Amino acid sequence: MVLPFFCEELANIKALRAVIAVHPDVSFQENLSIKHNALFLGNERVINFNDIQVTVDPTTITVLPHSQGTDRLIPYEVKLTVVTPKKINDDDDELKTWWPVKDLATKKAFVCRVCDALLVDTASFKFKPLPSEHWYELVECWICHESKPEEHRARMQPISAQPKMLLAGTTYLLVHPGDVAGESIEMDKHAASQLKWAMSRQWIPVHCVKCNGDIGEGQFEKDAEPVLPSFMDFLTFDLLDAVKAHATYRFLIQSRRDSKIQLLVSS
């Protein structure tokens, strides 16, 4: 027998509100029960709450008449309490750390998950946790009543990878490039070719040399060739400096051979 059923979750009060319609000859409240996180009416299962990833308290069932029914069906309203399991980091809203330092300290090496090629030998490493994400941008919010703001700004620098040390973030691990095993990791050249270098350093995807499997990202510096200024660069800089120094100006650009005036600029 299929029962007319409607259910909604009231997340703000951690409750479920359900409406079930049954025949008038059914003793609804006496036959309603919760077994193995499922709602039953007699021996018939109405809904399995595991299917919607919700856990309810089997001891708190409230039944109320919903509205005036018909000769064929009578609706009832059922309220259930949702049980929220206690999480490890339930005291804060931050993401759960995927790799706690105490677990990483037991690892002797890291290998490619596709071909098992050795990537980093961490047998002699130190393991330290990184601060919460975006700590550098928020550091000024943690300091109050400072007399000289420039003091901490001179000391505060972004955290970078250190040799023989593995730094564990929330969703990533930071390893020094000198600790990578041989030529086991290389830069994704296709991704690098599509990159627009807005800064001298950029994070670029890297992959396993042996199987081409994705590993993560590496920080690379742009190979910039020195560009020497041309004669026109020197001339332009000279003119601009002179303009900044004087309210009125007059420039004559003459030929070196015959002193013929080539250009006149004045204000």
Side-chain angles (χ1 to χ4, degrees):
M1 179 178 64
V2 179
L3 297 175
F5 174 78
F6 168 81
C7 182
E8 64 176 340
E9 182 179 3
L10 307 176
N12 57 333
I13 60 174
K14 296 181 179 181
L16 287 178
R17 174 181 172 272
V19 177
I20 308 174
V22 298
H23 292 282
D25 57 348
V26 174
S27 298
F28 182 78
Q29 190 162 354
E30 290 78 4
N31 289 283
L32 195 67
S33 62
I34 296 178
K35 304 174 185 177
H36 308 295
N37 203 39
L39 183 65
F40 283 84
L41 185 62
N43 295 324
E44 183 175 357
R45 187 174 66 182
V46 180
I47 182 175
N48 185 358
F49 294 111
N50 292 324
D51 295 338
I52 58 175
Q53 300 179 353
V54 171
T55 303
V56 298
D57 186 352
T59 62
T60 56
I61 304 177
T62 304
V63 179
L64 300 170
H66 179 63
S67 61
Q68 187 65 34
T70 65
D71 295 338
R72 299 160 70 179
L73 293 174
I74 298 178
Y76 289 90
E77 181 176 322
V78 180
K79 291 185 178 180
L80 304 170
T81 302
V82 176
V83 178
T84 304
K86 179 68 175 179
K87 298 180 180 179
I88 296 177
N89 294 336
D90 202 29
D91 295 334
D92 54 55
D93 295 329
E94 294 187 2
L95 292 173
K96 179 182 177 181
T97 302
W98 286 13
W99 302 286
V101 171
K102 62 179 182 180
D103 296 339
L104 291 172
T106 62
K107 305 294 183 182
K108 302 300 180 183
F110 286 86
V111 299
C112 175
R113 62 180 179 180
V114 179
C115 66
D116 292 331
L118 178 64
L119 302 178
V120 183
D121 183 0
T122 58
S124 59
F125 272 36
K126 293 181 180 179
F127 300 85
K128 292 187 177 181
L130 286 167
S132 58
E133 299 300 312
H134 310 297
W135 68 272
Y136 189 71
E137 291 82 356
L138 297 173
V139 67
E140 292 184 357
C141 300
W142 302 338
I143 301 175
C144 61
H145 305 294
E146 63 175 343
S147 56
K148 297 181 180 180
E150 64 276 5
E151 290 183 357
H152 83 270
R153 291 173 185 168
R155 295 192 300 266
M156 297 301 297
Q157 297 294 332
I159 299 175
S160 57
Q162 303 295 324
K164 297 298 180 182
M165 182 181 296
L166 190 146
L167 302 176
T170 306
T171 57
Y172 62 92
L173 304 176
L174 201 58
V175 180
H176 193 272
D179 295 325
V180 176
E183 301 294 330
S184 58
I185 296 176
E186 67 178 359
M187 177 178 62
D188 189 321
K189 295 181 180 179
H190 175 72
S193 65
Q194 304 296 319
L195 184 67
K196 295 181 179 179
W197 289 84
M199 298 181 291
S200 60
R201 292 184 179 183
Q202 292 281 3
W203 289 94
I204 303 175
V206 295
H207 56 248
C208 175
V209 173
K210 184 177 179 181
C211 68
N212 208 37
D214 294 332
I215 299 298
E217 291 184 336
Q219 193 177 60
F220 295 88
E221 292 186 359
K222 184 179 180 181
D223 296 329
E225 297 182 358
V227 179
L228 297 177
S230 64
F231 170 76
M232 289 303 299
D233 291 329
F234 282 117
L235 178 61
T236 304
F237 294 152
D238 251 357
L239 293 178
L240 291 176
D241 284 340
V243 168
K244 292 178 182 178
H246 303 280
T248 60
Y249 54 86
R250 182 180 182 184
F251 298 116
L252 292 176
I253 300 177
Q254 297 175 300
S255 173
R256 182 177 297 178
R257 293 182 179 179
D258 55 11
S259 298
K260 186 178 180 180
I261 297 176
Q262 303 290 337
L263 180 65
L264 172 64
V265 181
S266 60
S267 66

